[in-house]
Amino acid sequence: MTAAPLHNPTPLMHSTPLSRKTQTNVWLKLENLQPSGSFKMRGLGHMCQKAVQEHGKATHLVCSSGGNAGLAVAYAGRQLDVRVTIVVPLSCSQFMKQKIESEGATVEMEGEAWDEADLRARTIVANDPHGVYVPPFDHPDIWAGNSTMVDELKTQMGGIVPDAIVCSVGGGGMLNGVILGCERAGWDRVPIIAIETHGANSFQQAVVAGKLVTLPKITSVATTLGAKRVSAKSLELSFVHPVIPFAVSDSMACRACWQFLDDHRILVEPSCGASLSVAYTPSLLSNVLPHLNHQSNVVMIVCGGSNINFEQLTDFKTKFASQGQQPAIAVRNGDQIMLKMTHSLQEKESTPAQRFIISTLYRSPVSESDEAATNGVSATNGSSALDAKSLSAPATNHDDHVAVKTEETNE
C-alpha cells in the first residue's frame, strides 16, 4: 500500500464570470477533479487508508451510501487492494450503483432510506472480524482528511486571507473539515457560508434551534445533501467559528448547475449547485456579507458529485422551467435577508406572483473597534456592518422567518 494520500491536490481557479456577477474576486476550489468526482475522496480516502494501515490487507471496508461517499470508499478500496461492500438504499439510482460496482465493490441494496441501509452495513461489520465500518461523513478521520483542502488553499492564496468561504452542507463532513482547516491556518475569523437546499436543511434548522434537529424526510432533489440529522460536531463548531447557514430552493441549485456548465464547462450535482447559486442569485452574496467589495476574495468550494449526467440535468431544467421559476432576488432590511421569487424580474413589487421563500436573520452587534476594522462599511437599508464572530448567531425570536417556502417551489 502506498503511503501517498489517495486524494489529489486540486487547482484553485479564478472565475471571471462569477467575479463579475458578484463584484468580488471569486476563486473556485475544484474538488470535482478528485478521482471519485467529489471532495469525499479526501476524508474517506484518509479514513480508509488509516484503517488498512491498522488492520492489514484482510480489512473489509463497509460503507452505507448510495452516493458520493460510497463511490469514494469503493475507489479507495480498489487502490488499497482490500474488499469493499457498499450498502445502498433501494432509492439509489442504477447509474450510481453501476459506478460503484465498476470500482470493484460489492453492492447490496437494503431499505427505502439510508437509515435502513446503514443498519445493514453495521450488521455486516458486527458479523465480520475484519469488517471496518466507514460512515459517510461523521468521523474525526474524515474531517481531518477534508481539512487538507484548506491547507492547499492557504498555499494557493499566497498569503491572502479569504474574506469568505462558501461550501455546501449535507451531513457536515466537509463543513467540519473546512472549519478545522481554517482554525489550523489561523483563519479563525473567515466566515463560512454553509449552503443547503430546502427539504435537506438539517444544519440550518439545528443552528436556529440551538440543538440537533432530525428532519422527518428528505424532499430536496439535492439528494446527496440528504442527511436527516447533521453531525453534532458541525453544530458544536458553529458556536466557535463564524458560520452562516443558508437554505436555497431546488430551482436555484439546479439553475446554477446549468449556468455553471455554460460558464465553465463543468458539470456538477445540485448539491454543488446549491453553493454556486449564491453567486448566480442577484445581490445575495452582498446582502449576506455587506462588507464585501470588488477587492474582496471569496472562495467557493466546487464539491462536485458523480450522481449527475447531461440527461438528468436536462430533466431538472425541464422540470423547473415548466414551473415558470425565475432567479431569486435578494432583499435585505436590517438583519433580515429574503429571497424573492418572481415570474419576471421586471415585475413591480406589488405583483401578487412574488413570494418570499427565505428569510434568514442574524443579529450583528458591532463594537467600535469592529466598525473601524470594516472601515465603516455598513449593510444596506441602514443596518450595521456584520461582525464576523456574530454571523453564526441567528435571531431565535424570529424562527418563523427561517426557511419559509413558497407555493411555487413544490419542495
Side-chain angles (χ1 to χ4, degrees):
M1 180 189 70
T2 176
L6 298 179
H7 70 265
N8 290 334
T10 57
L12 182 69
M13 181 179 76
H14 184 265
S15 171
T16 299
L18 297 188
S19 295
R20 287 177 174 171
K21 291 178 188 300
T22 62
Q23 293 299 294
T24 65
N25 290 302
V26 172
W27 300 88
L28 304 174
K29 184 61 171 161
L30 299 178
E31 289 299 301
N32 59 298
L33 298 180
Q34 291 295 348
S36 65
S38 80
F39 80 95
K40 291 281 190 180
M41 196 66 249
R42 289 184 184 269
L44 289 163
H46 179 62
M47 183 176 181
C48 292
Q49 200 162 27
K50 285 189 67 175
V52 174
Q53 287 173 343
E54 181 177 349
H55 301 287
K57 286 291 187 180
T59 301
H60 177 198
L61 301 172
V62 183
C63 179
S64 55
S65 167
N68 296 300
L71 186 57
V73 173
Y75 174 86
R78 183 167 65 82
Q79 295 299 312
L80 298 168
D81 194 25
V82 297
R83 281 194 303 151
V84 176
T85 297
I86 308 297
V87 185
V88 304
L90 297 174
S91 59
C92 176
S93 68
Q94 186 65 20
F95 175 70
M96 278 304 290
K97 183 173 177 289
Q98 289 174 347
K99 279 198 168 190
I100 295 169
E101 288 175 331
S102 72
E103 293 291 349
T106 298
V107 176
E108 287 194 19
M109 305 191 77
E110 181 74 28
E112 295 296 330
W114 173 79
D115 313 61
E116 297 167 81
D118 188 59
L119 180 61
R120 171 59 184 159
R122 293 174 184 271
T123 301
I124 293 173
V125 171
N127 294 314
D128 184 345
H130 301 292
V132 174
Y133 173 70
V134 183
F137 55 82
D138 203 1
H139 194 281
D141 287 343
I142 296 174
W143 311 332
N146 289 338
S147 73
T148 60
M149 74 175 74
V150 180
D151 298 336
E152 291 176 16
L153 269 175
K154 187 173 184 180
T155 300
Q156 292 167 325
M157 295 292 286
I160 297 173
V161 178
D163 296 282
I165 297 175
V166 182
C167 72
S168 296
V169 182
M174 176 164 63
L175 177 63
N176 296 350
V178 170
I179 294 176
L180 293 172
C182 283
E183 297 293 319
R184 185 167 62 242
W187 293 353
D188 58 311
R189 287 184 63 84
V190 174
I192 298 171
I193 306 178
I195 308 296
E196 299 168 286
T197 51
H198 284 302
N201 56 331
S202 59
F203 175 63
Q204 184 192 48
Q205 293 197 27
V207 172
V208 169
K211 61 182 180 180
L212 292 175
V213 173
T214 302
L215 302 179
K217 62 179 179 178
I218 301 301
T219 59
S220 171
V221 300
T223 54
T224 53
L225 295 183
K228 292 182 181 178
R229 188 182 181 97
V230 76
S231 162
K233 186 67 173 180
S234 301
L235 183 61
E236 174 191 327
L237 291 173
S238 75
F239 296 141
V240 298
H241 190 95
V243 179
I244 307 169
F246 212 92
V248 302
S249 70
D250 278 348
S251 174
M252 292 166 64
C254 292
R255 185 178 298 276
C257 290
W258 63 73
Q259 288 176 309
F260 192 63
L261 180 62
D262 287 343
D263 284 341
H264 289 293
R265 300 161 305 283
I266 296 174
L267 181 61
V268 296
E269 287 184 16
S271 57
C272 180
S275 286
L276 296 170
S277 71
V278 172
Y280 284 111
T281 303
S283 304
L284 178 53
L285 188 59
S286 62
N287 275 304
V288 174
L289 293 176
H291 66 276
L292 298 179
N293 56 47
H294 69 281
Q295 294 181 323
S296 300
N297 292 282
V298 177
V299 174
M300 293 194 154
I301 298 176
V302 183
C303 55
S306 293
N307 193 17
I308 188 70
N309 56 29
F310 188 73
E311 181 181 357
Q312 289 173 304
L313 187 64
T314 302
D315 288 343
F316 287 142
K317 191 169 186 177
T318 301
K319 174 182 178 180
F320 292 111
S322 67
Q323 295 177 8
Q325 289 248 341
Q326 297 294 327
I329 306 170
V331 179
R332 185 182 181 90
N333 184 10
D335 289 330
Q336 191 172 20
I337 305 168
M338 295 165 280
L339 293 181
K340 189 165 53 176
M341 306 299 288
T342 69
H343 285 302
S344 170
L345 296 180
Q346 304 301 318
E347 290 178 335
K348 297 180 180 179
E349 290 193 13
S350 59
T351 304
Q354 294 180 335
R355 300 285 189 275
F356 291 122
I357 66 163
I358 302 173
S359 177
T360 305
L361 297 98
Y362 301 94
R363 294 299 183 199
S364 51
V366 182
S367 66
E368 291 181 3
S369 60
D370 287 323
E371 287 182 339
T374 57
N375 296 318
V377 177
S378 63
T380 58
N381 296 319
S383 63
S384 59
L386 293 178
D387 172 72
K389 278 296 184 185
S390 70
L391 293 176
S392 61
T396 55
N397 60 327
H398 289 287
D399 290 356
D400 57 314
H401 287 290
V402 179
V404 177
K405 291 182 279 187
T406 116
E407 302 165 1
E408 301 166 7
T409 58
N410 293 321
E411 295 174 35

